Amino acid sequence: MIEPFVEGQITDGVISYGLSSYGYDLRVSDEFKVFTNVNSAIIDPKAFDERSFVSVQAESVIIPPNSFALSRSVEYFRIPRDVLTICVGKSTYARCGILVNVTPLEPEWEGHVTLEISNTTPLPARIYANEGLCQVLFFRSDRSCQVSYADRKGKYQKQRGIVLPRL
């Protein structure tokens, strides 16, 4: 279901990641798309302009004040038909004003998780690649869903890398 899978919490000198009591702390990759307004593009989910981001590959990235970045999980997920997940930010980042938003991983969805990372502070914020960013919580139903994400042929199925908005 999770690849690569870290069986237990890795905590020594890093923001923790791996298997936790009731969830899994995923890692943010070293690939980032940092929002920029240099091109004065309009954010439109129906006609998204890729020039709204600057691509960065690094061991850490700085998110400008009151801005955001996209990244992806190191881990590739394959969600079973009877499982739904939600993802919540880790307290270390939340206490620094850095919020993470991830939509639910639906039954039979698979792929790298696209991570939305917001810096809510008036100061630049650093995010560390290959360390924990958020925790995935898993909810198993007593029966399989009638229509899964795979059945619907969802537009983000089997995504790899950072995936921008699709219509």
Side-chain angles (χ1 to χ4, degrees):
M1 183 165 57
I2 303 171
E3 185 181 327
F5 181 76
V6 178
E7 196 171 321
Q9 284 278 292
I10 305 299
T11 59
D12 193 23
V14 299
I15 298 173
S16 63
Y17 62 89
L19 185 63
S20 61
S21 301
Y22 286 98
Y24 190 88
D25 292 1
L26 64 76
R27 292 172 286 173
V28 61
S29 78
D30 64 354
E31 300 170 33
F32 299 91
K33 290 193 180 289
V34 181
F35 178 75
T36 179
N37 63 359
V38 169
N39 298 308
S40 299
I42 295 172
I43 300 300
D44 182 346
K46 291 186 176 184
F48 195 81
D49 187 344
E50 288 192 42
R51 297 177 307 147
S52 300
F53 291 105
V54 173
S55 294
V56 176
Q57 186 164 12
E59 288 303 309
S60 69
V61 70
I62 302 294
I63 300 176
N66 302 305
S67 191
F68 76 101
L70 297 178
S71 190
R72 69 166 178 89
S73 61
V74 168
E75 296 83 1
Y76 190 90
F77 286 80
R78 290 175 182 84
I79 306 301
R81 193 172 180 92
D82 63 345
V83 172
L84 174 73
T85 78
I86 58 170
C87 190
V88 294
K90 292 185 64 64
S91 61
T92 299
Y93 279 123
R95 293 168 196 223
C96 295
I98 299 166
L99 305 180
V100 179
N101 182 46
V102 176
T103 57
L105 308 183
E106 295 184 45
E108 288 195 326
W109 175 84
E110 75 170 77
H112 286 119
V113 180
T114 297
L115 306 164
E116 300 89 14
I117 309 162
S118 295
N119 176 6
T120 66
T121 75
L123 302 171
R126 183 180 305 275
I127 304 297
Y128 292 93
N130 299 304
E131 296 189 20
L133 182 73
C134 50
Q135 184 176 76
V136 180
L137 304 172
F138 300 85
F139 298 93
R140 174 173 263 153
S141 176
D142 57 354
R143 67 185 88 159
S144 293
C145 65
Q146 288 186 337
V147 180
S148 74
Y149 196 81
D151 294 339
R152 287 188 285 124
K153 297 181 179 19
K155 61 187 171 187
Y156 299 110
Q157 184 69 312
K158 297 184 180 179
Q159 65 187 18
R160 295 199 176 265
I162 301 169
V163 177
L164 298 178
R166 294 177 175 161
L167 187 60

